[in-house]
Amino acid sequence: MGTKVGPKIHQTGIIFCADPANHRSFNVSTNALVDVIGNKSMTLGAHTTDVTTYGVRHFASTFGETGSGSLDTGIRYGTIGNGDKVVGGDTSFTIMFWVYRTTGAPNNWWHTVTDGHSGDILTVQNGGNGNFVISMNSSYGGTGASGTYSGVNWASCKENSWNMIGVRYDIGTAKIKAFVGNPDNGVTFSAEITTSPINTAYKIRNFNGWGSAQSSYHADNSFSHVVVYDKAITDIEITKNFNEMKTRFK
C-alpha cells in the first residue's frame, strides 16, 4: 500500500514532500503547490510550469531544456528575510528528488538545493560531465563547505530517463555526500566531503532554482517529487526509496 507521499518510501524523519503528480500536493487548476507533510505553501518560479511529458506530471522551465536569459525557475518556500526554511543547518538532513536527463550537461549551472542567498548544498555544473558541487559563502557554510562530490555527477544519470539525485548531511560528523539513482545501475554514492559544520543560520528553502530571476544560473531540467528528512537516513533507506519510486518514473 502506498502513502500520501507516494509508494512505501522510508517514513521516519520525513518533514516535506512536494509532488506535482499528487492531487493533495498540486492543484493543476490553480497552480497551488503545498507540501503534503507540513502543509507548507510553495511558490513556483515565474518561469516554472507543470507538464506531462516524459510519462509523468512534473515541473519544467517554460523556456524548455535550453532556455536562457533572466529566468526564475524551481520551487521555493517563504522569503529569506523572514527566516523561512524547509530544513536548516541546525540539524542533519537528507534531500532527494527526481530529474529527467536528456543528453549532455545543463547549459548553465543548476542550483538544485539552496537558500537562494548564500550558496548551494548541491549545484550541477554545466559542461563536461556536469560535476556535482557544494558552494557556500564561508559565513554560512564554514571554510570547508565547498568542493566537488567525487564519484557521482550528471553523467552518472541515465540519458533520456528519470533519475533520482540528492544529498545527505550528518551534523554529528560534519560530513555530506551526494547520490544518484540510475534505473540501470541502482544508487551510487559520492565520497563524503568533510565540511566545517554548516552554520545553523543556513536555511534551505529553494529546490531546482535560485529563488529569483537569474541571468546566468538557472534550472534547465525537468524535476519532480522533492522529499526532505530532518535526519541523515542510511544508504539502505535511500536505496529503498529509489527502488520504491522507480516504477513510477520510467
Side-chain angles (χ1 to χ4, degrees):
M1 179 181 294
T3 69
K4 65 181 179 180
V5 297
K8 295 181 67 176
I9 66 173
H10 184 72
Q11 297 292 304
T12 305
I14 191 168
I15 60 169
F16 177 91
C17 177
D19 182 3
N22 184 338
H23 69 90
R24 297 186 184 96
S25 182
F26 183 63
N27 186 316
V28 297
S29 299
T30 64
N31 281 338
L33 176 68
V34 297
D35 142 44
V36 296
I37 303 297
N39 203 37
K40 292 180 173 62
S41 179
M42 305 297 291
T43 299
L44 273 65
H47 301 112
T48 295
T49 189
D50 69 294
V51 293
T52 53
T53 53
Y54 307 144
V56 64
R57 184 175 295 279
H58 62 276
F59 294 125
S61 167
T62 56
F63 282 71
E65 299 291 336
T66 59
S68 61
S70 184
L71 302 185
D72 175 12
T73 59
I75 61 174
R76 57 185 177 268
Y77 173 63
T79 60
I80 296 169
N82 289 340
D84 297 319
K85 66 178 180 179
V86 173
V87 71
D90 55 348
T91 186
S92 300
F93 56 78
T94 308
I95 300 169
M96 61 191 69
F97 48 93
W98 287 78
V99 296
Y100 193 90
R101 182 189 178 199
T102 51
T103 58
N107 71 340
N108 225 313
W109 282 34
W110 184 18
H111 303 278
T112 66
V113 180
T114 180
D115 68 345
H117 173 61
S118 61
D120 297 353
I121 295 295
L122 178 61
T123 299
V124 181
Q125 291 184 319
N126 63 315
N129 288 327
N131 286 340
F132 287 4
V133 301
I134 179 172
S135 178
M136 301 171 64
N137 294 340
S138 60
S139 59
Y140 282 80
T143 57
S146 62
T148 300
Y149 294 102
S150 175
V152 296
N153 51 40
W154 192 240
S156 305
C157 299
K158 182 180 179 179
E159 290 189 347
N160 299 311
S161 175
W162 286 100
N163 300 264
M164 187 183 80
I165 68 174
V167 290
R168 179 182 65 207
Y169 172 64
D170 186 330
I171 193 170
T173 63
K175 292 183 177 181
I176 190 165
K177 67 165 61 175
F179 50 87
V180 169
N182 176 310
D184 289 344
N185 302 327
V187 180
T188 302
F189 295 89
S190 76
E192 290 182 318
I193 298 175
T194 302
T195 74
S196 300
I198 295 173
N199 193 295
T200 56
Y202 190 79
K203 296 173 173 57
I204 296 169
R205 48 180 292 271
N206 302 340
F207 304 101
N208 303 293
W210 182 245
S212 59
Q214 295 288 298
S215 60
S216 57
Y217 303 118
H218 56 268
D220 302 301
N221 297 88
S222 298
F223 69 97
S224 187
H225 201 262
V226 181
V227 174
V228 180
Y229 297 83
D230 62 356
K231 60 178 294 187
I233 69 173
T234 67
D235 289 4
I236 291 173
E237 290 163 345
I238 290 169
T239 301
K240 171 183 168 60
N241 282 8
F242 172 72
N243 288 330
E244 291 288 348
M245 292 297 298
K246 69 180 180 181
T247 54
R248 169 176 157 183
F249 291 96
K250 64 178 182 179

